Amino acid sequence: MTVLDSPIPRFHLAMPVDDLDAARHFYGAVLGLEQGRSSDTWIDWNLRGHQFVTHLAPERAQRIHNPVDGHDVPVPHFGLILTVEEFQTFAERLKAAGTEFVIEPYVRFQGQTGEQWTMFFLDPAGNALEFKAFADDSQVFAA
């Protein structure tokens, strides 16, 4: 099954960036996303079948953080839920690229409901990304 055949709807997300060349390098070379259409003010990216768009918008809003599991989590943030193996491989890719983490890869809620691997980092424009992995996918929405 391809992502286009998936019963899960694909999302579209547009995020502001202050430098399209820096966004092109980060999302294309560092994260390895396939670039789609683009113009002088935006770039489409394939984020595992989801349409992610970086829009040139030099003005930035104030940053907000919330405490989660003893860490200061940046809000807003976005990312993907990966398999544990994909998470570990992706974390190594980011470390090899010299990525500075807001929250280093670690296991959150260890031994509790919703146990998950998580990591946070910023793109060149300061947008926060979180990638995570659950050993048990049935725990994604567990209460």
Side-chain angles (χ1 to χ4, degrees):
M1 173 187 306
T2 70
V3 73
L4 298 176
D5 299 323
S6 173
I8 299 172
R10 291 170 289 150
F11 68 77
H12 163 81
L13 176 66
M15 294 296 289
V17 298
D18 56 7
D19 182 331
L20 279 180
D21 289 333
R24 183 174 283 108
H25 172 75
F26 181 77
Y27 287 102
V30 176
L31 298 190
L33 303 185
E34 177 186 350
Q35 182 180 320
R37 296 170 295 149
S38 66
S39 79
D40 292 341
T41 58
W42 54 267
I43 303 170
D44 279 348
W45 299 99
N46 180 351
L47 184 63
R48 294 267 183 105
H50 303 286
Q51 187 184 42
F52 173 67
V53 185
T54 49
H55 282 272
L56 187 59
E59 299 298 319
R60 301 286 308 160
Q62 177 184 1
R63 298 204 197 301
I64 301 167
H65 294 83
N66 280 329
V68 178
D69 193 37
H71 289 87
D72 202 18
V73 171
V75 178
H77 61 263
F78 70 97
L80 293 175
I81 299 173
L82 308 171
T83 66
V84 173
E85 184 179 328
E86 289 171 323
F87 179 93
Q88 298 298 343
T89 300
F90 190 52
E92 290 307 314
R93 176 188 181 124
L94 293 171
K95 290 175 186 177
T99 301
E100 184 177 325
F101 291 93
V102 173
I103 299 174
E104 296 276 341
Y106 84 106
V107 178
R108 174 191 286 166
F109 308 132
Q110 192 163 16
Q112 303 174 46
T113 301
E115 179 177 302
Q116 61 195 261
W117 281 92
T118 187
M119 64 180 146
F120 284 82
F121 52 94
L122 305 178
D123 75 2
N127 294 307
L129 292 89
E130 177 188 20
F131 285 76
K132 58 174 64 180
F134 291 80
D136 179 356
D137 272 342
S138 72
Q139 295 287 299
V140 172
F141 297 107

